[in-house]
Amino acid sequence: MPEFTDISFPTGFLWGCATSSHQVEGNCTNNDWWAWEQEGGHIRDGSVSGLACDHYNRFDEDFALAQELGHNAHRISIEWSRIEPEEGRWDMAEVDHYRRVLESMHRHGLTPFVTLHHFTNPLWFRDRGGWLDPQAPELIARYAGFMARELGELVPFWLTINEPMVTVVAGYIIGLFPPCRQDMGQAMLAARHLLLAHGRMYQAIREATTHHPLVGIVMAMVYCQPKDPDSEGDRRAAQMADDLMNEYFLAGIDRGLIPPPVGQSQEAPGLKGTWDLIGINYYARILMSETTLASGSLFGEPPPGAELSLMGEEVYPEGFYRLLKRLQAYGQPIYVTENGISTLDDDQRCRYLVRHLREMQRAISEGLDVRGYLHWSLTDNFEWAEGYYQKFGIVAMDPQTRERKPRPSAYLLRDIARANAITAEQFGRYLA
Ligand code: GCO
């Protein structure tokens, strides 16, 4: 039986969960996802987001639960389509709603992380061409500046765009998310505009606030490896997936330019260094081969016999450590803005949690400045093109009654968060 020792996390470490507006609020009727769901046939389990977790009305109850579960931080997103329902018109009642949401978080001892764009676009923005519109960076920056002016004093952490490369890949390369294109030219244009948008949003938030919030981007980082390490074609495929998924936004922001394959490393004025933190979402490893690339998939595949999640993704904690270590080069504080697993077996979730936290702590013990961990997600919710079938919650949510019921993993995370440590006994229980 392996020997385990206690490990602890840095003083003041932030612990909590991450969510997004469309997946939990309910009735986000004015965005492109809602419209797309109504067409039917797109969501794998046949569901639509509908009332979701009704978090729009139950946020107070959810934050009370998060507090009881030992959390001291929480990540939400603001639904742009509520704030700016028509181009240039601000809905002040919705601004007040999010003010109440943020006040409730503070009241419940939860440090807010606020994402401004989490996949969904207002219908008017979609109709102008969405991410293909050359005005897109300006339009979203105007919204970012507005939010920072209105609610800035309540928000210590702003996250500009969630997983921009997933928007590109799922929306414009494989056609899984709206606008469902399979067009490399459009994908490159969207990627360019998303990178510029991040820079503009950062500047707009900076200009609108005086109290120095930390502002950053949320990266979906995928551990990309060649299926056959001896095959040059497979190595090239893994490198291409890595360049696009991981490197493009990191290098672009770090150096202030549009990296290949999207651009030719030309300078993007005002972009360089537009971050005070890096948010990393980590789920899985993918193995890339020449054939996966040729088939147009950039998501790769898990190795045979691997432990999988219900999403079909490989559970690979070592990849978390490797990707975290890679962020050290940028000299920014790091926040894990998502990490989690969809599973019907909560014991698997518990194992996933301690194994990933152990890898995170390994990176910290080697000098990496990780300051928080936000698990995806608090309650089961609407998992995009998969629907409600996927179960990411540490708290079960009955889609009929919306009753919330913490799973054992919620109490495990609570104990870890309260102690700011994992004991040898806990490791023994889940890893032996
Ligand atoms: C994403 C989003 C989340 C997902 C989560 C699980 O990464 O796609 O940030 O909205 O629900 O990652 O797939």
Side-chain angles (χ1 to χ4, degrees):
M1 175 154 142
E3 283 285 315
F4 296 109
T5 48
D6 295 358
I7 62 171
S8 62
F9 298 91
T11 313
F13 201 78
L14 294 175
W15 293 100
C17 280
T19 66
S20 91
S21 53
H22 191 79
Q23 295 179 274
V24 300
E25 283 184 356
N27 285 330
C28 291
T29 58
N30 198 28
N31 72 34
D32 55 348
W33 264 86
W34 182 277
W36 187 63
E37 292 163 32
Q38 310 315 306
E39 290 172 13
H42 297 306
I43 310 300
R44 195 140 85 111
D45 69 358
S47 57
V48 290
S49 57
L51 199 54
C53 309
D54 196 20
H55 178 75
Y56 188 84
N57 295 305
R58 296 183 184 223
F59 62 86
D60 221 44
E61 173 194 334
D62 284 338
F63 297 152
L65 180 58
Q67 182 178 37
E68 264 171 52
L69 291 173
H71 302 188
N72 58 11
H74 189 77
R75 176 177 171 219
I76 60 160
S77 75
I78 290 181
E79 180 59 38
W80 183 12
S81 66
R82 291 192 196 275
I83 298 293
E84 193 176 0
E86 292 157 39
E87 186 175 344
R89 181 170 74 77
W90 307 118
D91 187 330
M92 296 313 287
E94 295 289 3
V95 174
D96 285 344
H97 168 79
Y98 286 108
R99 182 173 293 113
R100 287 193 298 277
V101 169
L102 289 163
E103 284 167 354
S104 171
M105 283 166 75
H106 284 286
R107 236 184 0 264
H108 290 100
L110 302 170
T111 297
F113 285 73
V114 179
T115 315
L116 286 158
H117 184 275
H118 197 125
F119 294 163
T120 55
N121 296 317
L123 290 174
W124 63 263
F125 181 81
R126 175 198 71 177
D127 293 342
R128 287 187 53 127
W131 289 110
L132 304 180
D133 179 359
Q135 291 304 311
E138 295 307 329
L139 292 167
I140 197 168
R142 181 177 62 182
Y143 150 69
F146 174 76
M147 290 319 302
R149 258 190 312 283
E150 291 295 324
L151 301 179
E153 80 283 2
L154 294 166
V155 182
F157 296 99
W158 289 104
L159 304 168
T160 54
I161 303 178
N162 177 71
E163 302 189 349
M165 206 33 96
V166 171
T167 291
V168 173
V169 172
Y172 296 90
I173 299 181
I174 58 174
L176 182 70
F177 287 7
C180 300
R181 308 276 163 76
Q182 291 179 314
D183 182 321
M184 228 3 141
Q186 291 193 0
M188 296 297 107
L189 195 59
R192 171 190 299 263
H193 291 156
L194 278 154
L195 178 56
L196 297 175
H198 161 78
R200 296 286 163 81
M201 291 168 85
Y202 178 94
Q203 305 288 7
I205 297 167
R206 275 270 158 277
E207 280 160 28
T209 48
T210 48
H211 63 287
H212 304 300
L214 297 191
V215 187
I217 194 162
V218 171
M219 296 281 305
M221 291 194 70
V222 183
Y223 193 54
C224 309
Q225 288 196 307
K227 185 169 179 187
D228 173 3
D230 294 327
S231 147
E232 209 199 304
D234 289 7
R235 285 203 305 271
R236 208 173 331 114
Q239 186 63 49
M240 275 186 69
D242 184 80
D243 282 348
L244 203 62
M245 288 306 301
N246 303 326
E247 191 60 20
Y248 171 72
F249 277 91
L250 291 173
I253 298 170
D254 184 46
R255 294 160 57 201
L257 43 80
I258 316 277
V262 178
Q264 285 100 36
S265 298
Q266 64 275 43
E267 197 192 328
L271 178 64
K272 191 172 161 61
T274 50
W275 54 18
D276 319 304
L277 66 85
I278 301 176
I280 168 174
N281 295 354
Y282 176 75
Y283 289 91
R285 166 169 77 166
I286 58 170
L287 296 188
M288 293 297 297
S289 69
E290 257 182 309
T291 19
T292 14
L293 200 62
S295 71
S297 168
L298 260 167
F299 284 145
E301 48 185 299
E307 180 189 344
L308 301 180
S309 73
L310 197 56
M311 296 279 283
E313 295 176 319
E314 184 190 8
V315 175
Y316 191 70
E318 164 98 19
F320 190 27
Y321 165 79
R322 299 266 162 226
L323 291 170
L324 282 168
K325 288 290 280 186
R326 180 162 153 191
L327 295 179
Q328 195 145 20
Y330 301 100
Q332 300 296 329
I334 292 158
Y335 291 86
V336 177
T337 36
E338 287 179 32
N339 172 240
I341 181 171
S342 172
T343 176
L344 302 176
D345 168 10
D346 195 59
D347 225 47
Q348 187 189 17
R349 191 183 337 270
C350 292
R351 289 195 302 276
Y352 182 99
L353 183 62
V354 291
R355 291 174 71 198
H356 283 78
L357 292 177
R358 187 165 64 159
E359 294 298 331
M360 181 179 81
Q361 201 273 347
R362 174 150 75 115
I364 295 172
S365 70
E366 291 169 8
L368 191 72
D369 186 11
V370 185
R371 300 188 186 174
Y373 174 88
L374 302 167
H375 190 82
W376 186 273
S377 185
L378 183 63
T379 56
D380 295 333
N381 58 47
F382 179 70
E383 178 55 28
W384 305 114
E386 294 281 317
Y388 288 103
Y389 174 68
Q390 299 294 342
K391 306 288 177 208
F392 275 97
I394 55 171
V395 175
M397 199 266 323
D398 182 325
Q400 255 65 56
T401 63
R402 298 200 166 65
E403 192 200 338
R404 276 87 160 134
K405 202 160 169 248
R407 298 189 165 112
S409 54
Y411 298 115
L412 173 62
L413 181 59
R414 176 196 65 188
D415 295 346
I416 294 170
R418 283 195 182 149
N420 207 27
I422 307 181
T423 62
E425 195 271 325
Q426 282 165 326
F427 279 128
R429 189 157 359 126
Y430 296 105
L431 301 188

